[in-house]
Amino acid sequence: MRIEPRSKVSKTLIISVPILSSFAALLIAAIPISFAGANILQAYQEMFFGVFGSVFSFSEMLTRATPLIFTGLAAALAFRARLWNIGAEGQLYLGALLSVVVGTGYFDLPPLLLTPVIILCGAMAGAVGMAVPTFLKVRFGADEVVTTLLLNFVILIFIQMMLEGALKDPMGLGWPQSSPIVEEAMLPKLLPRMRVHSGLILAIVCAVFVHFMLSRTVWGFRVRAVGENAVAAKYAGIPVHRSLFMVAIFSGALAGLAGVSEVAGLKGYLTADLSPGFGYTGIVVAMLAGLSPLGVVLAAIFIASVFVGADSMSRAMGVSSYLADLVVALSLLSVLVGGFATRFRIVWSKRQPGDNG
Amino acid sequence: MGKVLALKGLSKRFGSVQANEAIDLDLNKGEVLALLGENGSGKTTLMNMLFGHYLPDTGSIDVADRQGSLQPLTLGHPQISLTKGIGMVHQHFTLAENLNALDNIVLGTEPLISFKRNTGSALKKLEKIMHETGLFAPLDVSVGKLSVGERQRIEILKALYRDVRILVLDEPTAVLTPQEADDLFDNINTMAKSGLSVIFISHKLREVLSFSQRIVVLRQGKKVGELVTNKTNESEIAHLMVGGGVKSAERETCTPGKAVLQLNQVSITGRSKRDSLFDQSLEARAHEILGIAGVSGNGQAALASLIAGLEVPENGSILIDSSEIEKPTPKKMIGAGVGRIPEDRHHEGIIGTMNLADNLIIEKLDDQEIQNFGILKRSKIKTNAAHLCESYDVRGPGVDAEARLFSGGNIQKMILARVFEQNPKLILANQPTRGLDMGASAEVRRRLLDARKNGAAILLISEDLDEVLALSDRILVMHDGNLIPAETRDRAQIGLLMAGTAA
Amino acid sequence: MIDILNILLSESFWAASLRIASPLIFGVLGALLCERAGVLNLGIEGIFVAGAMAGWMAVWLGAGLWGGVFFAMLAGAALGLIHGILTVPLGLSQHVSGLGVTLFATSLSYFVYRTSLPAVSSPPRIEPFRALDIPILSDLPFVGPVLFQQTALTWLALLLVAVIWYVMNRTPLGSALRAVGDNPDSVDAQGLSVYTLRIGAVVAGSSLMALGGAFLTMSAFDAFFFGMVNGRGWICIALVIFASWQPGKALLGAMLFGAFDALQVRLQTEVGALVPGQIFLMAPYILSILALVIAARRADYPRALLTPWFKGQR
């Protein structure tokens, strides 16, 4: 048995691998479910109907998917350039922070301008959040994986500091939360009595935009070239550092928009527990999507379904909702293994090392 | 003379390529056998099977044990081949640069689970070997700091330390000056006289005739001839090697034009003295090929980086067509009319995972022909690729296929297409035929000569002295970061310059 | 100023520094082993969590403290094996595999803990490692309380620094590991198995990383909290670069870090009114980033780090 690189990768294989991997992860989840002493089939049922059982639950899933599309795009774009942005979590919070700074009425702006300004400022804040580690990488050779990771912690502590100090809601009964965003500045809801909001539309628009930029423009060509072979790209005259910075800015901005979307679309104010790890989950979304911007939308919907379904199942059956995180982690590992299958294949030969011939 | 090695019917296939087909080969004790063939003929694959890196599809190998009787060899395990007395000096050195020579040599000879190392007895044994064979190298310096020649000697010592009885050398003289090659083979002959059996792989006719006792010729994976060296001649071997004749282009006389490239006292400080240039000047003129001869590692990389636009000189200036290029970048050099053929096609020349059509446009992304307001013109890119592939005879799985799937020769043609379609004034050709078979090499040289006829200036950097002599109008020898004009075309004299000794 | 001097000269400060440094020593040594062999192991954060949970749980279920150590190392080894198989013979992205292992190990640990122990107001506690009171030596002035009243795990960490140094520099195994991280071909050509060496290094390194986590629940504290690892794994990754992959410098780096952390806790009580506490909380992470920036340029990266090697591709 030998492993041989494939010379051609069929498109069907590329699309089916993430789908199969996702289902594999769901299947493997049966093990922890039974460890928790629950009935496996019932658990899957609860998970399924927890998402698809009603219009409301479906809309909840979409609401949950919205920030994941943003952070998934942030990761996918950066990873295409081989820029390891693990800091989406922090960049999200920076975007949320600026949303609150701008949107709580401190600046005297007409309501119609407020929403676009919030979006712009939030994106810029996220962009800065990724530009700094990228600068450290380009100038000092500091690995961006570690710097973005550590920066997440710094930013979160900073947010906590702001929430207990300068941004604290004077009418918040002492809780560390910000003042609410002005009603007129909030992103409009999409359906009455549901929480799903126009951040979702913005997210999908971003996905289409990123897809277009990557596959149809010179800019995207440069980004992909740098990611696939930076040495040859440099040799050919492509400005590697400039391309990396541009990717960093866009990637950070997208993550920042996740924060804007959660604050100005959903919650209305900022707390330190705004994100249950959307930034990190975005990485899994990106990998499941094969780093394809359009695929990110689908992958985000899958992951959001897992979370919402597991939540519902957890409430109904008492299984810890950490199961969702487990399924997400398993999805990442299995899509990684699946990716191997698209690039290599196993050849069965009768000869084994050790034969004398 | 007893037989020490018998390869019987060895075959190996990689995907759609039959690298070796039913090859038989015998080696006698104390013999120096040359395994000759052009690049891609399957020589290294065959020896890799002997050493255990590859598992043959069919066939067997018998190796003589210490008593001299032939025993079947267990295939596919380097550690078994090593214990049976087979050693190999690979073309690309297999040394750990962070360890010193002693550590590298001793690596794998002591059991891994042990609390201490036996450096004392190892040193004694090595000193004895070094004195017996005349191969000396510093043992306590990190390999990363040693020269190429020293590293090669360490590779050979590595094999000798393990008491090999059969030594395989893969293209051993690629990194040596002519004198160093002579010295190496003197040492090899000494060792052969005391019983070591040697196979050396080469694609150079001249050296095979000078240094071997018997020659086995491979062509396209098959054995096409077995000759006794002193009973054959260059044209017989060449014929076997290539099958038909390959017409090598003739260099017609051309009157050189004005200077296209001028380097005035440029300096670059690299990581070691050998990656640097100090206060060097040169001039390349239109209608002329300026050849830079020399063993790799003498500053060629720095010179190439400079002209490619990858490095900014610390002192001095670069002028193209008499206008100075300040703070060079690859883009500026391309814009100034410099076409560059990189040394490492796979890492510097192409983006392997992008398709052929995309690779053909990576140097001209701002061109109006392929983009409009930043949006790529997909169909134009494709037709551009189809057109270029036809003109430059690039063959393979199609313009939509990933570039890494094409053969070395076709990748080089792709790069040539990219370079030549811009009608460059200056062409930097860095080891342009390295690793290519004779047909592809001849084509590359022909195109360079055509470009010269049409008025381009060509800077040819090549470790193949014969190539430099055949193609160049003027020759500079590179040694230790210095460019020395060669006033002669005598191989031996140039060899002395390459080694740094004044003629 | 005098206050800072007083702090720096106090025994309790240095004892605390060593205590804070201990989990980092394990983590940096573990990361060092993996990276010297050429494999980046970003699973470290999750392995810390797994080690913390597995070790604590084993003690809770009656395996005894050293049983806890054993099970923590076992958990680390298992996770290391996953990462090793994905990155070495399969040659998959070391970044993605590592992050996947972190997510997997963290979520699995949390799930198992929460499923086994129902949520209560304060987490259940075990009897942790106590300070080892070594007769006579513990009574030495200054050195006594600092060194000789640490727990057995701290001693193990210090011992491991010496052991790892010796193995890497004075044994054939160490030579082979250093060689495989520089040029795997060098090892392959001498008949050794690249795969075995690399996977072995990752498994061994991961067991050490898990010990770092176990220290938190079995020595520093006595219970398992969600979020207790809090980025220590990532800090270790930064410190390995700062330590140039050398065990001695790893100890130095961990101690410097521990000292700084201990200092900021004490400074907080002095200056707390003027400066918000969060500034001090940020300090460890910012310090790690700084250490990384300073060290990155001159770092002697193992040449084959992050590059997969495949058998039979020459």
Side-chain angles (χ1 to χ4, degrees), chain B residues 452-469:
Chain B
R452 165 181 171 271
K453 196 154 112 183
N454 291 329
I458 298 172
L459 191 65
L460 171 69
I461 301 177
S462 176
E463 57 196 5
D464 184 341
L465 188 51
D466 294 310
E467 178 173 71
V468 174
L469 286 168

Side-chain angles (χ1 to χ4, degrees), chain A residues 101-148:
Chain A
V101 165
V102 173
T104 48
Y106 187 78
F107 294 102
D108 206 2
L109 283 168
L112 222 58
L113 274 184
L114 216 44
T115 312
V117 170
I118 288 176
I119 293 176
L120 197 64
C121 289
M124 289 198 317
V128 169
M130 188 55 200
V132 171
T134 306
F135 170 75
L136 293 176
K137 173 189 169 92
V138 165
R139 178 78 176 77
F140 299 105
D143 194 296
E144 74 276 20
V145 178
V146 191
T147 48
T148 51

Side-chain angles (χ1 to χ4, degrees), chain A residues 147-225:
Chain A
T147 48
T148 51
L149 270 169
L150 293 171
L151 215 49
N152 286 338
F153 290 92
V154 175
I155 292 172
L156 195 60
I157 297 172
F158 179 70
I159 298 284
Q160 285 166 344
M161 191 166 92
M162 292 279 102
L163 288 176
E164 285 179 19
L167 286 179
K168 193 161 177 181
D169 185 0
M171 299 196 279
L173 303 169
W175 290 115
Q177 66 189 48
S178 74
S179 307
I181 294 193
V182 196
E183 190 65 41
E184 302 84 37
M186 292 282 289
L187 298 172
K189 298 257 183 267
L190 287 181
L191 295 168
R193 291 194 306 273
M194 313 256 168
R195 298 202 301 161
V196 64
H197 56 89
S198 39
L200 178 64
I201 310 293
L202 182 61
I204 295 177
V205 167
C206 284
V208 173
F209 181 69
V210 172
H211 168 79
F212 177 77
M213 289 293 287
L214 268 182
S215 57
R216 305 297 299 274
T217 65
V218 172
W219 182 89
F221 188 101
R222 292 198 176 110
V223 166
R224 286 183 289 125

Side-chain angles (χ1 to χ4, degrees), chain A residues 34-343:
Chain A
S34 58
F35 174 78
N39 179 302
I40 297 177
L41 260 109
Q42 191 189 354
Y44 282 129
Q45 234 180 334
E46 288 286 347
M47 281 179 71
F48 183 79
F49 286 108
V51 177
F52 298 101
S54 70
V55 178
F56 179 73
S57 58
F58 191 76
S59 79
E60 276 300 290
M61 182 275 286
L62 289 176
T63 311
R64 191 68 187 254
T66 306
L68 291 178
I69 297 176
F70 283 117
T71 54
L73 286 173
L77 179 59
F79 288 12
R80 279 292 199 112
R82 235 179 254 265
L83 186 66
W84 301 102
N85 181 0
I86 322 290
E89 188 78 0
Q91 290 143 31
L92 181 159
Y93 273 103
L94 286 177
L97 180 68
L98 259 294
S99 308
V100 159
V101 165
V102 173
T104 48
Y106 187 78
F107 294 102
D108 206 2
L109 283 168
L112 222 58
L113 274 184
L114 216 44
T115 312
V117 170
I118 288 176
I119 293 176
L120 197 64
C121 289
M124 289 198 317
V128 169
M130 188 55 200
V132 171
T134 306
F135 170 75
L136 293 176
K137 173 189 169 92
V138 165
R139 178 78 176 77
F140 299 105
D143 194 296
E144 74 276 20
V145 178
V146 191
T147 48
T148 51
L149 270 169
L150 293 171
L151 215 49
N152 286 338
F153 290 92
V154 175
I155 292 172
L156 195 60
I157 297 172
F158 179 70
I159 298 284
Q160 285 166 344
M161 191 166 92
M162 292 279 102
L163 288 176
E164 285 179 19
L167 286 179
K168 193 161 177 181
D169 185 0
M171 299 196 279
L173 303 169
W175 290 115
Q177 66 189 48
S178 74
S179 307
I181 294 193
V182 196
E183 190 65 41
E184 302 84 37
M186 292 282 289
L187 298 172
K189 298 257 183 267
L190 287 181
L191 295 168
R193 291 194 306 273
M194 313 256 168
R195 298 202 301 161
V196 64
H197 56 89
S198 39
L200 178 64
I201 310 293
L202 182 61
I204 295 177
V205 167
C206 284
V208 173
F209 181 69
V210 172
H211 168 79
F212 177 77
M213 289 293 287
L214 268 182
S215 57
R216 305 297 299 274
T217 65
V218 172
W219 182 89
F221 188 101
R222 292 198 176 110
V223 166
R224 286 183 289 125
V226 166
E228 294 182 34
N229 186 345
V231 171
K234 183 173 179 194
Y235 194 90
I238 292 176
V240 173
H241 290 164
R242 183 147 48 105
S243 304
L244 283 177
F245 269 109
M246 295 235 63
V247 170
I249 289 171
F250 273 100
S251 176
L254 285 163
L257 285 178
V260 168
S261 156
E262 280 301 280
V263 168
L266 190 63
K267 283 196 93 169
Y269 56 90
L270 176 62
T271 52
D273 62 357
L274 180 74
S275 165
F278 289 136
Y280 300 111
T281 313
I283 295 172
V284 183
V285 168
M287 291 301 300
L288 270 181
L291 301 186
S292 140
L294 296 178
V296 161
V297 177
L298 294 171
I301 287 176
F302 170 72
I303 299 284
S305 304
V306 169
F307 275 109
V308 171
D311 265 344
S312 165
M313 188 265 289
S314 170
R315 280 193 299 271
M317 299 175 63
V319 175
S320 160
S321 57
Y322 283 117
L323 182 74
D325 301 274
L326 194 52
V327 171
V328 168
L330 285 169
S331 305
L332 182 58
L333 290 174
S334 59
V335 84
L336 195 59
V337 174
F340 177 78
T342 59
R343 282 180 295 138

Side-chain angles (χ1 to χ4, degrees), chain C residues 4-305:
Chain C
I4 297 184
L5 261 173
N6 276 337
I7 294 175
L8 286 177
L9 291 174
S10 74
E11 305 158 339
S12 66
F13 169 73
W14 288 104
S17 304
L18 185 52
R19 201 173 49 240
I20 296 174
S22 298
L24 299 177
I25 296 173
F26 285 117
V28 178
L29 287 177
L32 186 156
L33 273 181
C34 296
E35 292 183 27
R36 274 294 193 128
V39 180
L40 176 68
N41 189 351
L42 291 179
I44 185 170
E45 181 81 358
I47 294 175
F48 258 68
V49 175
M53 203 285 292
W56 183 92
M57 185 69 82
V59 176
W60 175 260
L61 293 173
L65 284 171
W66 289 104
V69 167
F70 173 75
F71 280 102
M73 292 182 79
L74 196 62
L79 290 165
L81 188 62
I82 295 175
H83 184 60
I85 291 178
L86 289 176
T87 55
V88 179
L90 299 186
L92 297 166
S93 162
Q94 293 182 6
H95 289 103
V96 181
S97 173
L99 289 172
V101 168
T102 282
L103 288 174
F104 174 66
T106 308
S107 57
L108 184 63
S109 304
Y110 286 175
F111 181 83
V112 169
Y113 182 82
R114 179 46 72 233
T115 306
S116 316
L117 294 160
V120 285
S121 51
S122 59
R125 302 152 79 174
I126 56 163
E127 194 52 45
F129 277 99
R130 293 289 173 202
L132 268 184
D133 209 353
I134 300 181
I136 306 170
L137 287 175
S138 322
D139 295 323
L140 291 172
F142 196 81
V143 183
V146 173
L147 277 181
F148 299 106
Q149 283 177 7
Q150 300 286 344
T151 65
L153 282 186
T154 300
W155 277 106
L156 182 59
L158 294 172
L159 182 66
L160 279 171
V161 173
V163 167
I164 301 281
W165 179 88
Y166 185 79
V167 169
M168 290 302 284
N169 293 302
R170 292 280 185 270
T171 64
L173 179 63
S175 271
L177 281 175
R178 285 184 294 139
V180 88
D182 182 271
N183 183 1
D185 283 333
S186 68
V187 153
D188 181 53
Q190 290 285 60
L192 297 172
S193 166
V194 173
Y195 290 166
T196 312
L197 278 170
R198 281 188 160 175
I199 295 179
V202 173
V203 169
S206 304
S207 329
L208 289 184
M209 291 173 179
L211 269 182
F215 186 92
L216 293 176
T217 51
M218 292 167 58
S219 182
F221 308 103
D222 53 10
F224 179 78
F225 306 96
F226 292 102
M228 78 188 302
V229 172
N230 209 21
R232 281 182 183 77
W234 311 131
I235 290 172
C236 288
I237 298 284
L239 286 179
V240 168
I241 299 174
F242 181 76
S244 272
W245 297 274
Q246 289 163 21
K249 286 197 188 161
L251 176 61
L252 182 67
M255 273 309 292
L256 273 174
F257 192 93
F260 191 86
D261 211 10
L263 183 64
Q264 62 98 337
V265 168
R266 281 153 177 76
L267 276 182
Q268 229 190 101
T269 52
E270 311 268 337
V271 214
L274 301 165
V275 180
Q278 284 96 355
I279 299 283
F280 293 98
L281 282 176
M282 281 190 218
Y285 305 103
I286 297 182
L287 190 69
S288 303
I289 295 177
L290 235 59
L292 186 58
V293 166
I294 295 171
R297 268 288 182 252
R298 60 166 175 76
D300 245 331
Y301 280 84
R303 268 198 318 155
L305 185 61

